[in-house]
Amino acid sequence: KTATVTGATAKTDYGHFYGSSYYFDGSGDKIVVSDATAFDVGYGDFTAECWWNRATWTATRRIFSSGNSTSSSHKSHFQLCILASGIVRFDYDATAGHTLSSPSDIINSDTWFHTAIQRNSSSGTPTMEIYFNGVLTASTTSNASFDMNNTEGVTLGRESTGSNWWNGWISDFRFCNGVAKYKKNFIPPGGPGGGSGDSAAGKGTNY
């Protein structure tokens, strides 16, 4: 799929697992991945994940989001937010106000973190989940549908309506449609983990 970079700067000497990343300065920097059926999750399972490192802690910032920048009814289908208080938050079907949050103060400054958000139906009950550095940190049951109308893509670096710009680094964003990759705690490549072994099952589309 096509990724359009606006303002974000490629850093070949700063990263975690791959040793490189994109830097976002908090004011207009973004990477937009074009819309495609690969992002239409509907009621199905999916996983979105990346490595990130935050430069400033003064406000709520979005690492990535999916939604329509002009239609309030499709403002944000899913997004990963980092709050100034150190909370990691997974917003989904934001028109209905659904959010899932980690405990507070789990983030340190000048540190790389791996975060995965996903819907996991393997138990028979659809469950929204946050894995932080490989550890299942928060979960809640939900069967919300993400009606993306195949007109919206995924944006790294801001909220879908053009606010809450990310100030920091993002590396190795991946999206898998039709599969919840993680069924237990795992060790992210090159980073800390919270369990024995990694687990990923099924087929999806990665970016």
Side-chain angles (χ1 to χ4, degrees), residues 17-73:
F17 180 59
Y18 290 104
S20 61
S21 62
Y22 270 92
Y23 175 72
F24 301 75
D25 68 4
S27 179
D29 291 1
K30 62 182 179 180
I31 299 176
V32 179
V33 183
S34 60
D35 60 274
T37 55
F39 294 119
D40 292 348
V41 299
Y43 290 100
D45 287 356
F46 71 94
T47 301
E49 60 184 324
C50 68
W51 285 97
W52 57 272
N53 188 344
R54 185 167 177 170
T56 58
W57 300 83
T58 56
T60 297
R61 307 280 184 172
R62 265 64 170 180
I63 297 177
F64 59 77
S65 65
S66 173
N68 189 322
S69 61
T70 58
S71 171
S72 60
S73 63

Side-chain angles (χ1 to χ4, degrees), residues 102-184:
S102 73
S104 60
D105 299 323
I106 65 172
I107 301 170
N108 300 315
S109 60
D110 193 27
T111 303
W112 282 94
F113 301 100
H114 181 274
T115 304
I117 58 175
Q118 65 178 24
R119 176 158 50 198
N120 181 5
S121 302
S122 61
S123 67
T125 301
T127 304
M128 300 298 185
E129 299 173 333
I130 299 174
Y131 279 88
F132 181 75
N133 280 347
V135 178
L136 180 60
T137 303
S139 64
T140 187
T141 58
S142 176
N143 197 31
S145 175
F146 302 153
D147 178 16
M148 297 175 68
N149 289 333
N150 194 27
T151 61
E152 300 119 23
V154 170
T155 299
L156 279 64
R158 65 161 171 77
E159 202 264 344
S160 58
T161 56
S163 59
N164 302 125
W165 297 88
W166 180 249
N167 186 200
W169 300 263
I170 301 174
S171 178
D172 194 29
F173 170 80
R174 296 171 181 250
F175 181 86
C176 299
N177 192 351
V179 60
K181 285 178 63 177
Y182 303 112
K183 305 299 190 295
K184 61 180 180 180

Side-chain angles (χ1 to χ4, degrees), residues 7-19:
T9 305
K11 298 291 185 180
T12 59
D13 58 348
Y14 191 68
H16 186 68
F17 180 59
Y18 290 104

